[in-house]
């Protein structure tokens, strides 16, 4: 994955996204990444898809209030009812040009029907 393509989501980290110490809360970033992967999964599955798993994350860089966070996704595997999506989060200081990778993870989604049952991704 590369940061030189369009992100699935781009947001600005705000003061409301901080933990008790004033740092951007890791759960906020996880939520943004899950949302980006969910958009990609729904588009590929042509309907509802739900998160069923995520591999562990390691934070390489902190995210600070005011940073622009860009999340990039790439479909890595498509099964009969599931998709695995690689996700990377990058940060850029509000007044800077250099982007730095913050973290990455793999999210697994299952396509579901209106009753919440797995359905074929291509169906």
């Amino acid at each position: 994955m590369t940061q030189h393509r369009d992100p699935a989501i781009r947001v600005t980290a705000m003061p409301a996204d901080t933990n008790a110490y004033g740092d951007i809360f890791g759960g906020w970033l996880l939520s943004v990444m899950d949302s980006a992967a969910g958009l990609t999964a729904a588009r590929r599955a042509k309907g509802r898809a739900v998160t069923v798993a995520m591999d562990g994350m390691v934070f390489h860089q902190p995210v600070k209030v005011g940073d622009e966070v860009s999340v990039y996704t790439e479909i890595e595997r498509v099964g009969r009812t599931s998709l695995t999506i690689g996700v990377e989060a990058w940060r850029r200081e509000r007044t800077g040009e250099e982007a730095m990778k913050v973290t990455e993870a793999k999210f697994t989604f299952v396509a579901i029907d209106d009753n919440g049952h797995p359905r074929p991704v291509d169906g």
Side-chain angles (χ1 to χ4, degrees), residues 17-20 23-34 54 57 59 61-63 89 102-103 107:
D17 306 320
T18 60
N19 62 24
D23 301 317
I24 294 301
F25 183 53
W28 174 83
L29 185 57
L30 174 62
S31 174
V32 172
M33 291 172 72
D34 189 33
M54 185 214 66
M57 294 172 61
F59 293 94
Q61 295 280 329
V63 176
V102 174
T103 190
F107 287 75

Side-chain angles (χ1 to χ4, degrees), residues 31-82:
S31 174
V32 172
M33 291 172 72
D34 189 33
S35 293
L39 289 169
T40 300
R43 189 176 310 119
R44 175 61 178 84
K46 295 179 178 53
R48 189 170 174 197
V50 296
T51 310
V52 295
M54 185 214 66
D55 71 359
M57 294 172 61
V58 175
F59 293 94
H60 308 294
Q61 295 280 329
V63 176
K64 301 186 183 318
V65 171
D67 283 354
E68 177 185 276
V69 176
S70 297
V71 180
Y72 301 88
T73 61
E74 183 175 321
I75 297 172
E76 296 186 351
R77 189 187 72 74
V78 177
R80 192 178 75 75
T81 62
S82 66

Side-chain angles (χ1 to χ4, degrees), residues 2 4 8 22 24 28-29 35 47 56 58 66 74 84 87 89-90 96 105 110-111 122:
T2 161
H4 301 291
I24 294 301
W28 174 83
L29 185 57
S35 293
V58 175
E74 183 175 321
T84 301
V87 182
W90 291 70
V110 170
D122 292 321

Side-chain angles (χ1 to χ4, degrees), residues 10-11 37 60 94 105 109-110 113 116:
R10 180 175 284 150
V11 296
H60 308 294
R94 189 171 195 79
F109 286 79
V110 170
D113 62 20

